[in-house]
Amino acid sequence: MQIESIEIKNYRLFRDARFVDIPRLCVLVGANGTGKSTLFDVFSFLKDALEMNVGKAVSKRGGYKELASRGFADQPIEITLQFRLEITGYERLVTYLLKIEPDAVGRAVVAREVLRYKRGASGKPFHFLDFEHGHGYSIINEEDFSKADEKLNREEQELDAPDILAIKGLGQFERFKAASAFRLMIENWHVSDFHVSDARPSQEDGFAEHLSTRGDNLPLVANFLFEHHKDRFDRVLESMKRRVPGVAVVEPKQTEDGRLVLRFQDGSFKDPFIARHVSDGTIKMFAYLVLLNDPKPYPLLAVEEPENQLYPELLPELAEEFRDYAKRGGQVFISTHSPDFLNALSLNEIYCLRKVEGFSSVSRASDSENLQSLFDAGDLPGYLWKQGLFEGLNR
């Protein structure tokens, strides 16, 4: 899966914003309050809406009036994703449209939900799922691409409530191919909310294959890699030794009372010490390496400001770790204020956000002829950003 474009209308700072030609590694820059966190919240909102329903996802964010762009609470919110997804053995460029609006008493409902893609190399995209206010249809024999449109089997459906996503209900059934694939994709998005304090405590003995969004199961996931994917765990250790000064060994150990703790061996000391005695930066780097060496990459990974608590010298290498992760199959979105992190990127991986008349405007750094010529001449993106040359890019 790779998202190629995102169009957002009337969602907080995004009155009418569009991200196009999105690469596998997409990095957002901009001053505070320009919408970087808002994009990540769009990802979280879609996941919440799928796991709960649209009404609860909106309520979690303060209600429709708080979620809609300021001054436009009477107008619908629209989110459109265009992405490549394998369906029945074919890779398709799929479009998902979600339109939300308040009902007569102000509750958020799904005004329109569409999943469409082209059946062949030409022609208009075909609607394989189309719902309005809880009523609609889905095609149940999508694999029969060679059949005429009228030969495709359309199944009419009515959802239990108008704030339930059709992809949530229908996506649980294999016969709705596109809805099932898209639901599974969103369910496996990972929007990081990592906190070093949560990653430090030792945990009761248990089992966890994937790092949680807050990182509070780090010892369990490290132990899982150690026991079941030793090659991945060894890669984490090698990266730690190479990139964190002084660290020689990181090992999960089980205590007598059944708790798992991380023990770090410093090359300067004989005895190992547990995670609570290690710096925040060391713990955070270890957590990122565990996350990025997951044997099954998330289809979408979103991380805000990974530079916090890390040495500036580590950031270019961390950027390379994120890029390697993206190459293995997980698309990565990152927000940053760090010139050192940006220096490891190409211009086509950087999107700049600015506020224009109170709302976010988005542009790609490589679309600027001036920035591109400076980059081609050898100037690094981080230095160009630090000099203020990204300012005015959206104008």
Side-chain angles (χ1 to χ4, degrees), residues 53 61 72 74 99 112 135 141 180 217 228 230 257 272 275 299 328 338-339 371:
N53 56 45
R61 289 158 177 79
F72 298 92
D74 59 334
K99 183 178 179 181
R112 186 83 185 275
H135 304 270
N141 60 330
S180 179
N217 63 348
H228 301 282
K230 193 62 165 52
D257 59 353
R328 287 199 295 120
S338 168
L371 287 179

Side-chain angles (χ1 to χ4, degrees), residues 77 90 137:
I77 294 171
Y90 297 87
Y137 69 86

